[in-house]
């Protein structure tokens, strides 16, 4: 049984891109494309989710992701409630399911969940009533499906297709839920070569089993790439010293203009943010002509609108 799909194959929850059918991913990207002009209208709204109540449950700090989910829901005309975790009953010891039950009793239609524990969104999805959908906004090291989808949307916008690309994911793959979602999406969409580049201490054991090529030398890994995705160092998830120093990391795995020159001349540079300039990426690259980091943020709203619209049964 696929928890994410209804019996007739429609999207029921969005929890992970692992195992999500290619047709559903493509449908999300196509639907997002139809929402791209909403943000440029004088009245930035469509009525698809009018009367629906969406609760953003962020049990872990976030600024950009929470904000783009909120904007996306409001552009669909939904009523949005942001649960303030710092003052919620969670801080008084209320169990997560008690919190969910209380919010469901307020006639919630959708929960957007971010949690430091892997599997939290799945846990809630198994518990909620059939009419309530759950969107995973990032759980532990496990998955960040909407970030993975907006990255695919960005690649498709700039490269047109996936079947002829070489994509490199660089940095802290070990602690990155984003990297896992990207790898699942890229392989599902038919990218022939996905590379991961990083020091041995920041790559998961057996990552090759996900269908990627592993490089510990950045110059070799970047050679001939069409897309370079830089990852943030997840210092908050590291236990013990996995790197000699930030300066040493930048020397070998930071993206500079010189290293970027090894990729194809029209290669694009992406980063899920927030960036550590001078650690993962040089400012002249982050702000340079090959960077599509800010468009990623813009596209994130359209992609999250698409996910919410499909979950709520609306159409673009």
């Amino acid at each position: 049984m696929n928890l994410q799909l209804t019996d007739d194959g429609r999207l029921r929850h969005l929890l992970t891109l692992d195992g999500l059918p290619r047709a559903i991913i493509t449908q999300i990207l196509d639907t997002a494309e139809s929402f791209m002009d909403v943000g440029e209208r004088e009245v930035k709204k469509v009525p698809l989710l009018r009367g629906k109540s969406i609760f953003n449950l962020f049990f872990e700090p976030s600024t950009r992701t929470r904000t783009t989910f909120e904007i996306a829901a409001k552009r669909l005309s939904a009523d949005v409630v942001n649960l303030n975790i710092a003052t919620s009953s969670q801080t008084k010891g209320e169990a997560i399911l008690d919190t969910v039950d209380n919010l469901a009793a307020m006639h919630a239609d959708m929960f957007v969940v971010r949690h430091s524990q892997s599997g939290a969104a799945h846990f809630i999805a198994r518990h909620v009533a059939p009419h309530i959908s759950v969107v995973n906004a990032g759980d532990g090291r496990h998955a960040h499906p909407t970030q993975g989808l907006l990255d695919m949307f960005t690649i498709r916008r700039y490269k047109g297709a996936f079947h002829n690309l070489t994509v490199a994911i660089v940095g802290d793959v070990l602690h990155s839920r984003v990297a896992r979602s990207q790898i699942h999406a890229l392989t599902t969409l038919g990218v022939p070569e996905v590379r991961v580049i990083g020091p041995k201490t920041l790559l998961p054991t057996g990552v090759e089993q996900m269908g990627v090529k592993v490089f510990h030398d950045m110059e070799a890994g970047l050679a001939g790439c069409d897309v370079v995705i830089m990852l943030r160092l997840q210092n908050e998830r590291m236990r013990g010293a996995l790197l000699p120093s930030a300066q040493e990391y930048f020397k070998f795995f930071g993206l500079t203009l010189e290293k970027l020159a090894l990729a194809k001349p029209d290669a694009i540079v992406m980063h899920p943010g927030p960036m550590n300039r001078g650690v993962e990426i040089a400012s002249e690259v982050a702000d340079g002509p090959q960077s599509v980091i800010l468009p990623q943020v813009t596209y994130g709203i359209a992609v999250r609108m698409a996910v919410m619209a499909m979950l709520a049964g609306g159409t673009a």
Side-chain angles (χ1 to χ4, degrees):
M1 173 184 165
N2 190 330
L3 184 62
Q4 301 194 102
L5 302 179
T6 62
D7 291 340
D8 59 355
R10 290 181 295 107
L11 198 63
R12 162 92 170 82
H13 304 288
L14 181 66
L15 307 173
T16 174
L17 301 184
D18 184 10
L20 199 66
R22 180 173 181 166
I24 293 285
I25 293 178
T26 301
Q27 184 185 4
I28 294 171
L29 302 186
D30 292 344
T31 305
E33 197 68 56
S34 72
F35 285 130
M36 277 299 292
D37 70 335
V38 175
E40 298 171 3
R41 299 178 188 174
E42 185 175 347
V43 178
K44 299 177 177 58
K45 278 185 181 294
V46 291
L48 280 175
L49 297 191
R50 183 177 293 159
K52 300 287 187 182
S53 296
I54 296 177
F55 287 74
N56 288 329
L57 310 182
F58 277 63
F59 299 97
E60 189 181 58
S62 167
T63 300
R64 189 169 68 179
T65 299
R66 190 192 60 75
T67 301
T68 54
F69 267 111
E70 181 176 354
I71 292 172
K74 287 180 175 177
R75 287 189 180 168
L76 292 166
S77 301
D79 297 319
V80 185
V81 178
N82 296 307
L83 187 69
N84 189 341
I85 302 301
T87 58
S88 78
S89 295
Q90 284 285 311
T91 61
K92 304 172 189 171
E94 183 177 280
I96 187 170
L97 288 185
D98 287 334
T99 300
V100 168
D101 284 342
N102 277 284
L103 297 174
M106 300 175 196
H107 302 291
D109 296 290
M110 191 180 302
F111 292 124
V112 178
V113 180
R114 168 167 285 198
H115 202 286
S116 61
Q117 296 297 316
S118 299
H122 282 75
F123 180 65
I124 294 173
R126 288 191 189 94
H127 176 78
V128 295
H131 71 280
I132 298 177
S133 295
V134 176
V135 180
N136 183 5
D139 62 330
R141 301 182 187 181
H142 172 239
H144 195 348
T146 57
Q147 178 68 46
L149 289 167
L150 76 88
D151 293 335
M152 299 309 108
F153 186 82
T154 304
I155 292 171
R156 195 175 76 166
R157 277 225 143 193
Y158 282 90
K159 295 298 177 183
F162 296 96
H163 68 279
N164 56 351
L165 298 179
T166 299
V167 178
I169 302 171
V170 185
D172 185 5
V173 178
L174 178 64
H175 302 97
S176 177
R177 54 195 173 206
V178 173
R180 284 166 178 75
S181 292
Q182 290 166 340
I183 291 169
H184 289 309
L186 290 166
T187 53
T188 299
L189 291 169
V191 171
E193 186 164 340
V194 182
R195 303 174 180 177
V196 295
I197 307 171
K200 290 181 180 177
T201 52
L202 294 183
L203 297 183
T205 303
V207 68
E208 299 92 340
Q209 296 170 13
M210 297 181 72
V212 301
K213 289 187 176 181
V214 174
F215 292 80
H216 300 300
D217 180 274
M218 191 165 178
E219 283 78 4
L222 289 180
C225 283
D226 300 279
V227 178
V228 182
I229 304 175
M230 303 304 297
L231 299 175
R232 183 175 70 86
L233 281 179
Q234 309 269 312
N235 291 311
E236 72 277 16
R237 300 186 195 285
M238 294 184 188
R239 292 185 174 89
L242 299 179
L243 298 170
S245 68
Q247 293 78 12
E248 189 82 355
Y249 180 80
F250 183 69
K251 177 181 177 182
F252 291 104
F253 295 100
L255 187 61
T256 60
L257 287 174
E258 292 75 19
K259 292 176 188 157
L260 180 58
L262 298 168
K264 289 183 179 175
D266 64 345
I268 58 172
V269 175
M270 303 168 62
H271 193 302
M275 293 182 287
N276 294 310
R277 292 171 182 259
V279 178
E280 301 129 15
I281 189 168
S283 285
E284 53 266 38
V285 176
D287 303 327
Q290 291 174 263
S291 170
V292 297
I293 294 169
L294 287 180
Q296 282 179 265
V297 180
T298 302
Y299 300 158
I301 296 172
V303 168
R304 286 166 178 137
M305 287 175 72
V307 170
M308 290 175 173
M310 288 172 60
L311 288 172
T315 55

